[in-house]
Amino acid sequence: MSESSLSFAVTVNPSPRTAQQRAAILEKPGFGVHFTDHMVAIRWDKDTGWHDAQVMPYGPISLDPAAAVLHYGQEIFEGIKAYRHADGSVWTFRPEANGARLQRSAARLVLPQLPVDLFVESLRQMIAVDAAWVPDQDEASLYFRPFMIGDEPFLGVRGAQKASYYVIASPAGPYFAKGVAPVAIWLSTDYARAAKGGTGAAKCGGNYAASLLPQQKAQEQGCSQVLFLDPVEGRYLEELGGMNVFLVYGKTNTLVTPALSGSILEGITRESILQLARDRGMNVEERQVSIDEWKDGVSSGQITEVFACGTAAVVTPIGQLKGEGFSVGDINAPAGEVTMSLRKELTDIQYGRLPDRHGWLVRLG
Ligand SMILES: *Cc1c(COP(=O)(O)O)cnc(C)c1O
């Protein structure tokens, strides 16, 4: 029997939220605050491989205090959404890409590789029990947070020989409660999020731990996110703490994003935006982009729009870039046309309002 044909034992939550409680949460879900009634857990150990796949009531997990994750940060995660279409059906977006990325992250963090079809099945299992938690308002979704930890109780420094994979899910409202509005971002020159040869390309909690202090400094400067430069020369754009970044050269119909450098996270939204831009005949460039190119291009008017993208906020216009002693752009200018039309096209595909011409959607329920 292949590991991916593991069957799930289902324990239904004996005291789920009532329909009324759920409706109150779904009316104003926020982001990452409320969780559904169930979760998925799958165990792994070196001798048995993947086993003991379960759907169980959402609740605390118990860890040995010596578990590897608590000491050496052996953790990876994913972020992927379920979207409700107008006919009530529930779909997700490019889950094989997330499953493959989880495997690449696992390889870097010396965690076991979850078969991609088991990853997709784990999302389907969640929807089988918690479909009622997929909101139906415009721009709302159910955000899945699959993650994996090394939980062998052992303080020696090596990859854990025991690991657990979990999926939890959280209803998410529209990221921008008052409509999509440009944000200001802060250029971090004192900190990098990832090192050359480090874990920047893996989706792991450790990268986020390293970004919290610069993120806090950005917020102190009135910025909602931080922009990181390459860790070697401190000259080329990498990404925001949790989103990839794009520049639009309006006059030449060109879309530019930093090439994957080994320390940039390979966003699935990034790749999808690149495809949609190519489809509409834009010139698309993945290359090194210096911070001076951004500053000069915005000042000269060649760069007409800048935006960030990721699963959680989809596409976010960047109105202003600020840093030590400088500021470019105008936070009060309206969101750019190219930004908003790429955003609309992507969300229209995800919500089933446009044909899925690339076969990106997978039905979950
Ligand atoms: C998850 C993530 C992104 C965005 O990836 P998507 O697949 O588009 O959601 C970008 N940067 C970092 C650091 C991330 O963790």
Side-chain angles (χ1 to χ4, degrees), residues 101 193 203 208 239 241-244 265 267-269 310-311:
R101 184 170 68 188
R193 69 174 276 282
K203 206 168 175 73
Y208 280 75
E239 59 169 305
M243 297 177 94
N244 297 111
L265 197 285
I268 292 155
T269 319
T311 297

Side-chain angles (χ1 to χ4, degrees), residues 249-268:
Y249 284 77
K251 287 176 197 122
T252 58
N253 196 30
T254 302
L255 189 64
V256 180
T257 195
L260 299 173
S261 61
S263 47
I264 293 177
L265 197 285
E266 189 173 355
I268 292 155

Side-chain angles (χ1 to χ4, degrees), residues 2 69 81 105 118-119 169 174 179 207 256 270:
S2 87
V69 62
K81 287 174 168 175
S105 300
L118 194 47
F119 174 84
N207 292 338
V256 180
R270 173 188 180 278

Side-chain angles (χ1 to χ4, degrees), residues 247-256 281-283 297-298 300-306 336-339:
L247 311 176
V248 180
Y249 284 77
K251 287 176 197 122
T252 58
N253 196 30
T254 302
L255 189 64
V256 180
M282 291 187 80
N283 305 304
V298 171
S300 72
Q302 282 191 303
I303 294 175
T304 44
E305 304 176 29
V306 185
E337 258 174 61
V338 176
T339 303

